[in-house]
Amino acid sequence: MSVLVDEDTRVVVQGITGGEGKFHTEQMLEYGTNVVAGAVPGRGGQEVAGVPVYDTVHEAAREEDANASVVFVPPAFAGDALFEALDSPVDLVVAITEGIPTQDMARVKRKLRETDTHLVGPNCPGVITPGVAKLGILPGNIFSEGDVGLVSRSGTLTYQVVDDLTSRGIGQTTAIGIGGDPIIGTSFIDALELFENDPDTKAVVMCGEIGGEDEENAAQYIAEHMDTPVAGFIAGRTAPPGKRMGHAGAIVSGSGTGTAESKIDALNDAGVPVGDTPEEVAEHVEDLL
Amino acid sequence: MRLHEYQAKQVFADAGIPTPASTLAETVDDAVAAAEDIGYPVAIKAQVHVGGRGKAGGIKLAEDAEEAREYADDILGMDLKGYEVDRVLVEEAVDFENELYVGVTMDRGEGEPVAMVSTRGGVNIEEVAEEDPDAIAREHIDPAFGMHPYQARKVVYEAGVDRAVANDVASVLQTLYQIWDDRDGSDAEINPLMITADDEVVAADAVFNVDSDALFRQPEIQEMEEEASGGDELEQKADEYGFDYVRLDGNVGIIGNGAGLVMTTLDLVDHFGGSPANFLDVGGGAKAQRIANALDMVFSDDNVDSVVFNIFGGITRGDEVAEGINQALEQFDEIPKPVTVRLAGTNAEEGMEILNEDLVTVEHTLEDAVQRAVEYAQEVDA
């Protein structure tokens, strides 16, 4: 089993005619993802990698029964593209685009509250159910089928941890890259809830980083609502206060919350072992299974 | 990105928020002339991106021309926490009875804008927020509708603002929200908003930070950014190359892709007893030239004794990275600092074959690569 993505996921790629959209559509198809349509205004009637392109997501959803969207639209137009996907509607939207203005995302988040759609991202690597389908840019070959769920704010850190899991023979149900922006669709808690309700997920890995309070909130959720064991990792222990480390969210304000220490403490208090290195996280998962 | 006080005040004043009369000056003579025009007393304020300017000697009150000359001379050219002061704002000193704090920011937890008012103005508001959070009244704003006038009034009354000026303060707050919304603000703050004996409100300081991702649709703000540039030389270079870069005080240079992975590499350097010299994220899909630029950056930091590359390719290709490393290093007769490379993910095997092992040390795991780089740095140190 899996969460968010399974055999019935039928994908429309927004921005399929762009360089990245085209390349990753090919990669997704090669992995076995059921990409059924593309959507690009003014490009209706074309084909990319054998996939029919429509002018609107509505049309793609109607004509091809698409129920999920992956967004490769440039940042200036991505907010609008997300509204279009939410309005079409599809069940899952995965936003890969990096650099969407925060106020656009605040409006998208507001719209999201009125829908049943799951939004993953933006500024994320996507979602993968190994052996079934990937929606996004994750390198499929490092993942393997198994019973560990993974949720992470960072793309390349996801790859590192998955690599350490896979090399120990620990496969994954689904991996979700939720993205590092200040405002995102799916939070740690949303993802943890999905994994908790998935009977095939036997353990969960949660990779966080400095900045914000999402990890602290997730720790509280784990303590109160989860039976499935969780192992954790927090990036940015050595980051100096007040400096922004790439991700908009990864800034330590200097006050009590948001630091690596406060996140690790909160997770430990919730019974979550936190690895000092990605390798140690994999060891913790081995112990939990 | 952060505007200077004089720029933020200009934006606020253009929208109708009352600000004191002021003039920007780059020389002592200009500062004195400005003070004469405005009339004494005047405040002379360093225009640099440093908090606590007053305490650090960057703001002084001049009562006459002699003091104006003396203080302008003191402040212009001074080093304020690492920033050289090249401009001062000469400003009418407002005689006030009370000071308020008024601000608009994004509450990232809620994903919604929040407006804030406090009667504890004129002090470090972060300290107030920590010691006595109830001293700041807050109102979340639905971004679909913007700030309703009643919300501005509500938060002003909840903060306990004097009734005589409540309407004017609410109006300032509403304008501040509108600026924040129209100009893609991340933080807009007035601290202090001064209340005079005649119940006038005046913005005595102004902070306006704009979402860097939205600058493409804020051409006027972008112009201000160019005018306001300054700071660490290496960080400026990073801006030119388009890297996320932060200079730190250790001696192991770190280059990687993806913020989370680069931070993890920093943490591992520390874990293995080393000290990171920088955070450098080349971003996704970096081509050979970009990798060469990254090496150029890290080599030009004198503190660096050893460099480690940690690349886990998704969208980034290992062969491109390897080519970039070769290209950058082949220019040298002698490699200035030892370079350790770890490549994984997309096209990593191809990359490993291309990589010139006469120039770099190759390691196959993250842990081994970091440990090796730390050892190299320690050898130089010893």
Side-chain angles (χ1 to χ4, degrees):
Chain A
M1 261 263 295
S2 57
V3 303
L4 292 175
V5 176
D6 59 23
E7 291 79 8
D8 300 324
T9 305
R10 295 171 62 81
V11 178
V12 51
V13 177
Q14 292 178 257
I16 196 169
T17 52
E20 284 201 29
K22 179 169 181 291
F23 177 75
H24 288 289
T25 297
E26 286 163 356
Q27 297 284 308
M28 285 190 277
L29 285 167
E30 200 178 301
Y31 196 74
T33 310
N34 199 6
V35 180
V36 298
V40 179
R43 300 293 184 94
Q46 296 185 1
E47 257 190 22
V48 172
V51 174
V53 181
Y54 295 88
D55 288 313
T56 67
V57 181
H58 287 83
E59 217 180 335
R62 190 175 63 225
E63 298 299 321
E64 305 291 346
D65 277 335
N67 57 10
S69 158
V70 181
V71 179
F72 288 99
V73 173
F77 312 105
D80 187 44
L82 294 181
F83 268 98
E84 186 183 359
L86 293 175
D87 192 47
S88 60
V90 289
D91 302 326
L92 170 68
V93 182
V94 176
I96 306 301
T97 310
E98 180 179 352
I100 302 178
T102 308
Q103 294 195 5
D104 293 0
M105 276 313 300
R107 292 186 175 90
V108 168
K109 184 106 182 166
R110 163 70 168 72
K111 171 76 178 175
L112 201 58
R113 292 189 178 127
E114 296 172 359
T115 75
D116 296 323
T117 301
H118 287 281
L119 169 66
V120 175
N123 189 13
C124 81
V127 181
I128 186 168
T129 293
V132 178
K134 68 162 181 163
L135 276 64
I137 61 175
L138 314 106
N141 61 325
I142 60 171
F143 292 85
S144 57
E145 292 171 54
D147 45 19
V148 172
L150 188 140
V151 53
S152 171
R153 269 167 82 176
S154 155
T156 47
L157 181 57
T158 305
Y159 310 160
Q160 177 66 49
V161 171
V162 164
D163 204 41
D164 285 316
L165 290 174
T166 296
S167 68
R168 278 165 195 269
I170 303 171
Q172 305 91 41
T173 47
T174 300
I176 310 171
I178 57 174
D181 276 4
I183 299 181
I184 53 175
T186 298
S187 68
F188 277 124
I189 292 176
D190 299 331
L192 291 169
E193 189 178 5
L194 290 168
F195 285 128
E196 173 70 10
N197 293 328
D198 173 32
D200 291 337
T201 298
K202 305 289 187 230
V204 180
V205 179
M206 174 184 146
C207 297
E209 61 187 30
I210 52 169
E213 293 173 11
D214 291 0
E215 289 83 354
E216 286 87 340
N217 296 336
Q220 197 181 339
Y221 176 83
I222 291 167
E224 288 171 8
H225 300 286
M226 283 187 78
D227 293 324
T228 312
V230 181
F233 183 78
I234 300 293
R237 293 161 184 244
T238 52
K243 293 282 189 183
R244 174 178 156 151
M245 295 272 175
H247 283 167
I251 182 165
V252 178
S253 61
S255 59
T257 56
T259 62
E261 203 184 3
S262 76
K263 290 172 194 293
I264 292 167
D265 287 349
L267 286 167
N268 284 336
D269 288 348
V272 175
V274 179
D276 281 342
T277 68
E279 211 176 16
E280 256 185 53
V281 181
E283 285 169 22
H284 286 314
V285 175
E286 215 163 33
D287 295 342
L288 293 177
L289 285 171
Chain B
M1 68 144 301
R2 181 174 177 179
L3 297 185
H4 281 297
E5 178 196 1
Y6 73 91
Q7 297 171 318
K9 273 199 174 132
Q10 190 63 55
V11 173
F12 291 4
D14 287 349
I17 293 175
T19 53
S22 66
T23 304
L24 189 70
E26 292 180 19
T27 66
V28 175
D29 286 342
D30 286 353
V32 177
E36 296 286 324
D37 275 354
I38 290 166
Y40 298 98
V42 293
I44 297 178
K45 306 164 100 175
Q47 298 296 293
V48 283
H49 292 314
V50 169
R53 284 173 301 166
K55 275 187 199 159
I59 299 178
K60 285 182 177 167
L61 197 67
E63 299 287 349
D64 54 38
E66 197 182 324
E67 282 188 357
R69 181 165 296 279
E70 184 190 336
Y71 297 153
D73 192 47
D74 287 347
I75 295 173
L76 277 166
M78 82 182 285
D79 185 292
L80 210 60
K81 298 182 184 172
Y83 290 83
E84 192 188 324
V85 179
D86 60 0
R87 277 166 287 194
V88 291
L89 189 66
V90 181
E91 185 174 84
E92 171 194 4
V94 178
D95 203 8
F96 62 95
E97 299 266 295
N98 275 310
E99 297 178 296
L100 304 177
Y101 167 87
V102 177
V104 177
T105 191
M106 184 67 81
D107 179 341
R108 33 173 299 170
E110 296 294 321
E112 267 186 351
V114 59
M116 296 168 289
V117 175
S118 176
T119 52
R120 302 262 299 272
V123 295
N124 187 340
I125 199 72
E126 283 82 8
E127 278 173 22
V128 176
E130 209 152 299
E131 289 161 11
D132 186 11
D134 291 342
I136 303 172
R138 296 172 176 82
E139 178 78 3
H140 281 93
I141 310 300
D142 186 326
F145 298 112
M147 183 189 278
H148 299 290
Y150 85 84
Q151 291 182 294
R153 294 194 301 270
K154 182 171 168 237
V155 65
V156 164
Y157 282 118
E158 267 171 23
V161 172
D162 193 311
R163 305 189 70 85
V165 293
N167 275 343
D168 286 344
V169 176
S171 158
V172 165
L173 179 59
Q174 182 110 25
T175 307
L176 194 66
Y177 180 84
Q178 205 56 53
I179 295 166
W180 182 89
D181 195 40
D182 291 345
R183 304 284 188 137
D184 279 296
S186 47
D187 312 287
E189 293 179 293
I190 302 171
N191 188 27
L193 181 70
M194 287 177 171
I195 314 292
T196 68
D198 307 330
D199 290 336
E200 303 277 339
V201 296
V202 185
D205 195 4
V207 169
F208 193 40
N209 298 339
V210 178
D211 178 5
S212 301
D213 287 333
L215 284 181
F216 68 87
R217 62 186 178 202
Q218 300 294 347
E220 287 170 36
I221 303 286
Q222 201 159 14
E223 272 173 40
M224 290 183 178
E225 183 190 29
E226 281 154 21
E227 194 186 317
S229 68
D232 185 278
E233 197 179 311
L234 273 171
E235 292 186 357
Q236 277 184 42
K237 199 168 183 175
D239 277 349
E240 278 166 36
Y241 284 146
F243 292 133
D244 274 322
Y245 174 85
V246 178
R247 190 175 187 173
L248 303 167
D249 50 14
N251 63 350
V252 179
I254 293 160
I255 301 171
N257 64 325
L261 187 64
V262 181
M263 278 195 279
T264 301
T265 315
L266 263 71
D267 294 348
L268 279 177
V269 166
D270 182 69
H271 179 78
F272 288 119
S275 174
N278 65 273
F279 168 100
L280 197 168
D281 178 7
V282 295
K287 302 278 189 238
Q289 183 58 49
R290 200 164 162 76
I291 297 298
N293 291 348
L295 256 177
D296 173 50
M297 282 233 35
V298 176
F299 278 163
S300 54
D301 180 349
D302 293 336
N303 292 335
V304 171
D305 292 327
S306 152
V307 181
V308 60
F309 264 95
N310 180 25
I311 303 288
F312 207 122
I315 208 165
T316 306
R317 285 169 36 188
D319 52 335
E320 284 278 354
V321 173
E323 248 166 57
I325 295 172
N326 287 348
Q327 270 175 33
L329 294 180
E330 276 158 8
Q331 301 165 28
F332 296 99
D333 294 330
E334 198 184 334
I335 309 296
K337 297 153 194 204
V339 178
T340 309
V341 180
R342 182 267 183 150
L343 285 180
T346 309
N347 289 9
E349 281 168 28
E350 291 86 336
M352 290 297 200
E353 277 168 27
I354 296 170
L355 211 52
N356 184 343
E357 294 201 38
D358 294 336
L359 307 177
V360 300
T361 304
V362 171
E363 292 289 354
H364 294 275
T365 71
L366 171 57
E367 286 81 4
D368 289 348
V370 169
Q371 243 172 322
R372 178 57 69 97
V374 169
E375 281 163 21
Y376 281 139
Q378 283 163 348
E379 281 165 26
V380 175
D381 247 4

